[in-house]
């Protein structure tokens, strides 16, 4: 995908809340995000759960904010989601121990 097309899709998302434009962007970047999460999380189910959470956070952010680098944003949000997963997991283990 060219940078110009990506910027146009981001514009459509921010201006018109265009879900089809978002779907197109995530089809382009989704496999990289999924691979990243599979490497960072212990189980495939955990990666799927965090992928869905990350997907929602990306939509929420780009639908209201102008951004420069989509891939940078995706992985920033993904890293935060992974950190949150482990924080929640640690609290659950501590409570149950």
């Amino acid at each position: 995908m060219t940078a110009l097309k990506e910027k146009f899709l981001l514009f459509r998302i921010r201006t018109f809340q265009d879900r089809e434009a978002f779907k197109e962007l995530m089809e382009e970047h989704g496999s990289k995000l999924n691979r990243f999460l599979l490497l960072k999380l212990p189980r495939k189910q955990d990666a799927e759960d965090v992928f869905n959470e990350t997907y929602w956070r990306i939509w929420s952010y780009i639908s209201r904010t102008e951004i420069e680098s989509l891939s940078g944003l995706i992985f920033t949000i993904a890293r935060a989601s992974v950190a949150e997963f482990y924080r929640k997991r640690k609290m659950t283990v501590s409570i149950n121990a």
Side-chain angles (χ1 to χ4, degrees):
M1 176 178 300
T2 66
L4 185 59
K5 182 171 183 177
E6 187 172 286
K7 284 185 183 280
F8 177 67
L9 292 172
L10 288 167
F11 171 79
R12 284 178 34 201
I13 294 166
R14 193 178 65 258
T15 305
F16 305 112
Q17 305 294 302
D18 187 341
R19 293 181 190 275
E20 287 300 314
F22 183 68
K23 181 180 174 185
E24 192 173 335
L25 282 174
M26 290 310 293
E27 284 173 357
E28 179 73 23
H29 295 280
S31 63
K32 294 176 209 161
L33 172 59
N34 194 45
R35 189 170 38 252
F36 172 80
L37 294 173
L38 286 168
L39 290 171
K40 297 293 182 184
L41 297 166
R43 297 180 310 146
K44 185 178 180 184
Q45 181 62 43
D46 296 331
E48 290 171 1
D49 292 344
V50 173
F51 181 90
N52 290 329
E53 172 82 19
T54 303
Y55 192 87
W56 171 249
R57 288 179 179 185
I58 293 166
W59 166 261
S60 179
Y61 191 85
I62 67 176
S63 64
R64 59 185 162 78
T65 308
E66 187 172 347
I67 62 168
E68 293 296 318
S69 170
L70 179 61
S71 64
L73 175 69
I74 288 171
F75 289 103
T76 298
I77 292 173
R79 280 190 301 275
S81 296
V82 168
E84 183 178 330
F85 168 84
Y86 282 110
R87 271 194 303 275
K88 285 180 182 177
R89 184 175 175 193
K90 182 178 178 185
M91 282 195 267
T92 303
V93 170
S94 296
I95 291 170
N96 292 332

